[in-house]
Amino acid sequence: MQVKLVMFRESGDRREFPLKEGKTSIGRKDDCDIRIPLSDVSRHHTEIVVDGKSAVLKDLGSANGTYVNNKPVKTHKLAAGDHVVVGPVVFTVQVDGQPEDIRPVKTKLRPLSAVGNTAKSSDSAVAEQVFSRDDEVDPISALEALASSADQTAIDPFEDDGGIL
């Protein structure tokens, strides 16, 4: 079973995060496999366990929750095409190459004061997550740098490694 998390930059560029068999942790802390360095993301936000038959997401008690298809979840068996929201980042789940054609789901970054403190979705292909960006690293750039790294290790967003815009 081959599982990938797919995200899109505002420009439409696609980035993939292949998940290895076993646990993949997602969070703000340096020891997470996929690091999203934002205050809306808990230190250890969520994890995905992949075995030969399934991929199961488990929220790790995150302050802002983990969402699958715009619904808060504690534990959820992932299926091809599911949308996973961690903080301001939206991933589409791809399992064994399905769905083949993934429509871009963009994370829209807007200040809280402009729109209120709620998340909304206009349709299943476009999701918006609202958050404050004060003194925070652009999560899309940080994840892009992570996607380009060969070993999928966590990155330091403040280190000039040439991968962060």
Side-chain angles (χ1 to χ4, degrees), residues 52-75:
K53 300 173 189 166
S54 66
V56 177
L57 177 141
K58 179 181 178 187
D59 182 84
L60 299 175
S62 64
N64 293 318
T66 302
Y67 294 78
V68 176
N69 302 325
N70 297 321
K71 295 179 182 170
V73 298
K74 296 294 180 198
T75 303

Side-chain angles (χ1 to χ4, degrees), residues 9 27 161:
R9 290 183 53 103
D161 64 358

Side-chain angles (χ1 to χ4, degrees), residues 4-158:
K4 293 180 185 176
L5 297 180
V6 179
M7 62 163 286
F8 290 87
R9 290 183 53 103
E10 238 178 89
S11 65
D13 293 338
R14 176 180 168 144
R15 296 292 179 230
E16 298 180 355
F17 299 89
L19 302 181
K20 298 175 184 174
E21 205 155 304
K23 288 183 185 179
T24 298
S25 60
I26 302 172
R28 190 175 74 225
K29 204 126 171 160
D30 290 340
D31 62 349
C32 291
D33 299 306
I34 298 176
R35 185 169 182 256
I36 306 172
L38 294 170
S39 61
D40 284 1
V41 177
S42 294
R43 289 179 187 102
H44 295 103
H45 197 100
T46 192
E47 70 182 14
I48 299 173
V49 178
V50 177
D51 62 24
K53 300 173 189 166
S54 66
V56 177
L57 177 141
K58 179 181 178 187
D59 182 84
L60 299 175
S62 64
N64 293 318
T66 302
Y67 294 78
V68 176
N69 302 325
N70 297 321
K71 295 179 182 170
V73 298
K74 296 294 180 198
T75 303
H76 186 84
K77 183 176 179 182
L78 296 172
D82 281 348
H83 293 137
V84 175
V85 180
V86 177
V89 180
V90 180
F91 297 101
T92 301
V93 178
Q94 187 177 48
V95 179
D96 295 329
Q98 297 299 317
E100 283 183 27
D101 184 30
I102 298 176
R103 292 176 33 192
V105 177
K106 297 178 185 175
T107 302
K108 300 207 179 201
L109 310 177
R110 296 186 290 167
L112 282 171
S113 59
V115 293
N117 191 15
T118 60
K120 62 182 182 177
S121 175
S122 57
D123 65 38
S124 64
V126 179
E128 294 180 321
Q129 180 71 21
V130 179
F131 78 110
S132 172
R133 289 205 47 199
D134 297 339
D135 299 321
E136 294 178 335
V137 175
D138 174 19
I140 307 304
S141 295
L143 285 168
E144 179 181 44
L146 179 60
S148 66
S149 71
D151 61 357
Q152 293 294 303
T153 58
I155 60 169
D156 180 354
F158 302 106

